[in-house]
Amino acid sequence: MPTYDERLRDLEERLRREDPGFAEAMSCGPPRGPREYRHRNTWLWLAAGLVALGVGIAVGHGLLIAAGLVVSGAAAQHFDPQRGRPPGRSIPGTR
């Protein structure tokens, strides 16, 4: 009976034969997280929108207030993990 390590090596060899591109990508390091959980640019846009909103309120400039609200709202929309999914399909663990 094959040991656990032998079965893993066999599985690895089959994976390399069947899909060498995927096997190469997995050997380069950990996979990248799903897009739903990457928010680096979203945080920057949200901060920029809130700064514009604050400055617009401080100087009393209506167009700057409106721009800050629009940019902040558009950035905040990207924090929704269900964005872009068809109705009825949810991410496990979210409600």
Side-chain angles (χ1 to χ4, degrees), residues 37-50:
Y37 302 111
R38 289 180 276 162
H39 300 295
R40 185 173 307 142
N41 289 336
T42 305
W43 281 111
L44 293 174
W45 280 106
L46 182 63
L50 292 175

Side-chain angles (χ1 to χ4, degrees), residues 12-46:
E12 183 180 359
E13 280 304 314
R14 279 191 292 153
L15 180 63
R16 285 195 187 281
R17 281 192 308 265
E18 292 173 7
D19 194 355
F22 177 75
E24 179 65 29
M26 291 302 289
S27 68
C28 291
R32 191 171 187 186
R35 184 178 302 166
E36 291 89 5
Y37 302 111
R38 289 180 276 162
H39 300 295
R40 185 173 307 142
N41 289 336
T42 305
W43 281 111
L44 293 174
W45 280 106
L46 182 63

Side-chain angles (χ1 to χ4, degrees), residues 63-76:
L63 189 58
L64 195 53
I65 294 172
L69 285 172
V70 168
V71 170
S72 298

